[in-house]
Amino acid sequence: MDFQSLEKLTAEKYKKHASRTFNYGTAGFRTKADDLETVLFRMGVLAVVRSKAMKAHIGMMITASHNPACDNGVKIVDPRGEMMAVAWEEHATVLANAEDLQLVASVQQLLQQENINQQQPAIVVVGRDTRPSSDVLHAAAVAGVRAVGGQVVECGVVTTPILHYRVVCANDGGSYGTPTNEGYSKKLADAFLKLQGTGGSQSRYSSELQFDGANGVGGCQMSIMAPSLAAALTITQYNDGKGDGVLNYKCGADHVKTTQSWPGGVPATAGTRCVSVDGDADRVIYSFLDSNGAFHLLDGDRIATLIAGYLKQLLTRAQVSLKLGLIQTAYANGASTQYINGTLGVPVGCAKTGVKFLHHMALDYDIGVYFEANGHGTVLFSDAAKKSIREAAAAGNSVAERLCSVIDVINETVGDAISDMLLVEVILKEQDWSVEDWNKQYTDLPNRLVKVLVADRSVISTTNAERSCVTPAALQPAIDNLLRSTEFATANARAFCRPSGTEDVVRVYAEASTRELADSLSTKVSQLVFDHAGGVGARPK
């Protein structure tokens, strides 16, 4: 590797941000876009080194997902579409924070430490979202890749799931799909139409839905795909990014989930399903208004239970014996966990927050369904499971043939809002369910998710899949005492706190038997966090 170009660009254009320290977290680097240009340049360098180490294509996605439009970020994607290996997160942090004159030495040390052949070719697949800052940051990333001799495969403006899909396809010779943006769209649309057929609505199921694109790249992608889906779905788009709407502002999956309210910019039409995606289209949330105008949320828990129940039905009908499991996080509503275990009879695991942790645990099953309550999730099929299903299909098993098409409509590489939406629509039509029917599967416990501003989120550490607080030492006993109090002891109450992976806040989740008790518990736990963990600003009330 020749480092002259790296040294020159570092000295002349991409100097280290003097006042910031960056940490590669759950979602990569994510912060104010104005602070990230040099970080993106250096992550282009890291992606080349990772590509050489893995002897494979590596992905770079420039996005801040559901964050405000003023933020941006970057994450590195490994060859099988998974998040970059945890062991390399420290390497990313080191390079991002190295002094300018030490950058080349830091890269050389990494090459030596990982015993990497510097002559190995390196190819980096790069995508970006629609944020105003993404073009500048994309240029910095590409400059970093090329400064150390890497090749760039341009995806353009794409959803995060498309970037992951393209990395996988580039590395497996195209067996997963054609490694183009068009290949992704065609694979999903073809599989969906094969499952869904034409003819639209049934007695209970309606083919009409409203699509809330969060004024982001998900709206762009749906504009591309909607015409090819029109034979089976009537999609009306809102917040599609073509007007004056602001990315993720009062719309999109994160807004709908956290505020538990109807998205702005979407007509309040009773009985019609609304599908909301987030800024990079890797999260999906359903919602609807009933005949009285009351808002109802169908989040990642609801989607996961719908999918798991459907897959269990198909496996039973196909007489294919495979181990099916569902992975949630601590944010999953307690009612959903009880329903999955008790009614569906599907084993449930709890993982730390972060897709990489759920993904890893889902690999323990032949078929692993994993979803966060925020709507980020997918389904993984082991090679052995696919082989069993395909053999049954080849023997003339029509249900197994349907399972093969279900596998094709699922983007196994990462949570994918559009792929998940298509699978939900397949299930609802086959069951002939309205959105109200789906909502009747179980009744959510009232819950509240809030943020507490703190000076330093690292003072909070957790265990037990983030359901118990370790530090500050007095915080968890205080929460336990609160839950044992007269107010909450018989209220089926649960609460926990965890540090955000992307900003200096502590997230507090609370649920209880009534809305009033859930809100009260949320406020009181937030006050405990504020008092014990260095709260900033006004004390929660």
Side-chain angles (χ1 to χ4, degrees), residues 54-192:
M54 299 301 292
K55 300 178 181 178
H57 290 60
I58 291 294
M60 281 186 78
M61 184 64 199
I62 301 164
T63 182
S65 187
H66 57 280
N67 281 35
C70 59
D71 291 353
N72 216 320
V74 61
K75 60 181 180 179
I76 308 297
V77 178
D78 265 355
R80 296 180 64 183
E82 68 273 49
M83 303 297 284
M84 183 173 67
V86 174
W88 275 67
E89 292 179 3
E90 179 60 27
H91 297 326
T93 298
V94 168
L95 287 192
N97 295 294
E99 296 299 327
D100 293 338
L101 294 177
Q102 296 300 314
L103 179 58
V104 169
S106 297
V107 175
Q108 290 172 329
Q109 182 178 356
L110 174 56
L111 290 163
Q112 183 176 6
Q113 180 180 335
E114 297 291 338
N115 194 27
I116 296 169
N117 176 11
Q118 296 188 34
Q119 304 309 311
Q120 173 69 33
I123 304 175
V124 182
V125 184
V126 183
R128 64 191 186 277
D129 70 9
T130 57
R131 293 166 191 271
S133 59
S134 287
D135 287 347
V136 170
L137 298 182
H138 167 265
V142 169
V145 172
R146 290 174 175 160
V148 286
Q151 299 178 48
V152 175
V153 175
E154 290 280 12
C155 294
V157 175
V158 292
T159 67
T160 288
I162 290 179
L163 186 280
H164 284 252
Y165 164 88
R166 288 196 54 171
V167 171
V168 173
C169 295
N171 284 310
D172 72 358
S175 63
Y176 188 69
T178 304
T180 63
N181 299 351
E182 295 76 15
Y184 163 91
S185 299
K186 188 174 188 304
K187 179 182 179 181
L188 293 192
D190 287 353
F192 173 72

Side-chain angles (χ1 to χ4, degrees), residues 112-433:
Q112 183 176 6
Q113 180 180 335
E114 297 291 338
N115 194 27
I116 296 169
N117 176 11
Q118 296 188 34
Q119 304 309 311
Q120 173 69 33
I123 304 175
V124 182
V125 184
V126 183
R128 64 191 186 277
D129 70 9
T130 57
R131 293 166 191 271
S133 59
S134 287
D135 287 347
V136 170
L137 298 182
H138 167 265
V142 169
V145 172
R146 290 174 175 160
V148 286
Q151 299 178 48
V152 175
V153 175
E154 290 280 12
C155 294
V157 175
V158 292
T159 67
T160 288
I162 290 179
L163 186 280
H164 284 252
Y165 164 88
R166 288 196 54 171
V167 171
V168 173
C169 295
N171 284 310
D172 72 358
S175 63
Y176 188 69
T178 304
T180 63
N181 299 351
E182 295 76 15
Y184 163 91
S185 299
K186 188 174 188 304
K187 179 182 179 181
L188 293 192
D190 287 353
F192 173 72
L193 292 174
K194 183 176 180 181
L195 287 163
Q196 201 76 335
T198 57
S201 303
Q202 296 185 225
S203 62
R204 299 285 297 171
Y205 172 79
S206 168
S207 63
E208 295 185 3
L209 60 83
Q210 297 169 308
F211 186 87
D212 165 22
N215 290 309
V217 70
C220 301
Q221 181 61 26
M222 184 50 67
S223 295
I224 293 170
M225 293 186 66
S228 63
L229 304 172
L233 276 181
T234 303
I235 301 171
T236 306
Q237 289 186 248
Y238 303 95
N239 303 320
D240 60 5
K242 296 176 182 177
D244 298 329
V246 178
L247 176 69
N248 293 324
Y249 181 68
K250 294 186 177 181
C251 63
D254 189 62
H255 170 80
V256 173
K257 170 62 177 173
T258 56
T259 65
Q260 300 187 31
S261 63
W262 192 251
V266 180
T269 307
T272 301
R273 299 184 304 288
C274 180
V275 180
S276 295
V277 304
D278 67 337
D280 65 336
D282 63 359
R283 297 183 183 187
V284 62
I285 295 289
Y286 274 72
S287 60
F288 73 98
L289 301 171
D290 64 25
S291 57
N292 296 316
F295 172 80
H296 298 271
L297 177 73
L298 297 117
D299 61 7
D301 297 338
R302 294 274 182 181
I303 295 169
T305 55
L306 181 74
I307 292 172
Y310 178 66
L311 291 175
K312 185 174 181 181
Q313 287 179 16
L314 290 184
L315 290 172
T316 301
R317 288 164 49 200
Q319 297 183 322
V320 176
S321 179
L322 294 170
K323 185 181 178 184
L324 171 67
L326 193 154
I327 312 301
Q328 299 179 313
T329 70
Y331 288 117
N333 194 281
S336 73
T337 307
Q338 184 176 355
Y339 176 81
I340 297 159
N341 268 321
T343 303
L344 296 183
V346 174
V348 180
C350 185
K352 288 176 61 178
T353 302
V355 175
K356 60 189 176 187
F357 301 114
L358 285 90
H359 189 103
H360 179 76
M361 189 175 286
L363 293 171
D364 292 339
Y365 296 91
D366 295 320
I367 303 176
V369 181
Y370 73 82
F371 268 85
E372 295 179 294
N374 61 26
H376 193 157
T378 189
V379 185
L380 303 181
F381 294 80
S382 69
D383 290 340
K386 290 177 181 176
K387 183 173 183 290
S388 295
I389 293 168
R390 286 167 180 159
E391 287 176 350
N397 185 323
S398 61
V399 181
E401 289 177 5
R402 187 164 183 83
L403 262 171
C404 288
S405 294
V406 167
I407 292 172
D408 285 339
V409 87
I410 293 169
N411 185 350
E412 294 182 70
T413 67
V414 72
D416 183 335
I418 293 176
S419 164
D420 293 336
M421 180 198 85
L422 295 177
L423 180 57
V424 166
E425 294 302 318
V426 164
I427 299 169
L428 292 179
K429 183 177 181 183
E430 184 167 337
Q431 306 283 45
D432 194 15
W433 280 0

Side-chain angles (χ1 to χ4, degrees), residues 49 102 271 329 480 486 525 538:
V49 177
Q102 296 300 314
T329 70
D480 292 339
T486 303
V525 174

